Amino acid sequence: MPFEFVSDRPGLDFVATVAERGTTDLELLRTPADLVEWIRESGLVDDVATLRAEDLDRARAVREALFALLQALRDGSPPPPAARRTANAAAAQPGPRPVLDASGSVRHRGGLDAALSALATDVLDLHGDADRLLLSWCADDRCTRPFVDRSRGQRRRWCGMRGCGDRAKAAAYRERQRVRR
């Protein structure tokens, strides 16, 4: 399953592995293999061993804590204590380690803990980074993806044009056609 990486920060893309929060709550990390694939596609670490169901549960718990922290950041409210503890614990683990191999290629070593550390660190860093002022949420009613809006004037409305943006443009076109008739 190809995952989308359109948020401009890995922690935001990880949070988006639950799509349409509050409506269909579409879980994209259904199996440990899905989590391995997401980590591989993200580029955080190159090789993740086979994971177990409890690893998936732990990753989902970190993801939900990161989502709660992002909601608090968006709302200007204090971070929930349990989410803060979970994210801090994940970020405290050693992160991915770059290794230069004999061919001159850089590989990123580490397992699930290293990937979760990088993701938690990214969201924690967002709280103290100028990017926090650019944090936005997709305007599509069915999408709950956060993203960093680096567009000129910070007027980006959708997480990406493929999907949410295309659906919105098509709906607006259909509405204009309906009104003309």
Side-chain angles (χ1 to χ4, degrees), residues 4-8 12-13 16 134-152 154-173 176:
E4 288 187 320
F5 296 89
V6 298
S7 299
D8 202 29
L12 302 183
D13 286 321
L134 304 176
L135 181 64
S136 192
W137 298 76
C138 187
D140 185 323
D141 292 337
R142 295 181 302 160
C143 184
T144 55
R145 180 185 288 272
F147 61 90
V148 174
D149 182 2
R150 296 190 192 286
S151 67
R152 187 165 35 178
Q154 281 75 53
R155 291 186 299 222
R156 183 174 154 192
R157 297 187 58 215
W158 302 290
C159 59
M161 284 309 296
R162 285 189 331 199
C164 295
D166 285 342
R167 278 193 303 276
K169 284 187 168 191
Y173 174 79
R176 284 192 307 272

Side-chain angles (χ1 to χ4, degrees), residues 83-106:
R84 188 172 41 81
R85 282 191 299 276
T86 299
N88 285 337
Q93 298 301 310
R97 297 170 312 282
V99 176
L100 187 64
D101 67 19
S103 70
S105 297
V106 175

Side-chain angles (χ1 to χ4, degrees), residues 19-110:
E20 303 179 16
R21 286 178 184 267
T23 56
T24 62
D25 292 321
L26 179 61
E27 175 63 69
L28 302 179
L29 301 178
R30 293 181 294 275
T31 67
D34 292 336
L35 178 58
V36 168
E37 183 64 17
W38 189 92
I39 292 169
R40 188 192 63 72
E41 287 184 27
S42 75
L44 292 171
V45 294
D46 296 322
D47 298 310
V48 178
T50 303
L51 299 177
R52 302 176 314 243
E54 50 270 17
D55 297 322
L56 178 61
D57 292 341
R58 188 163 46 94
R60 286 176 176 168
V62 170
R63 178 191 62 198
E64 294 312 305
L66 299 179
F67 180 74
L69 294 177
L70 290 167
Q71 280 186 306
L73 183 60
R74 175 189 65 184
D75 299 340
S77 59
R84 188 172 41 81
R85 282 191 299 276
T86 299
N88 285 337
Q93 298 301 310
R97 297 170 312 282
V99 176
L100 187 64
D101 67 19
S103 70
S105 297
V106 175
R107 308 280 299 161
H108 296 92
R109 302 280 185 227

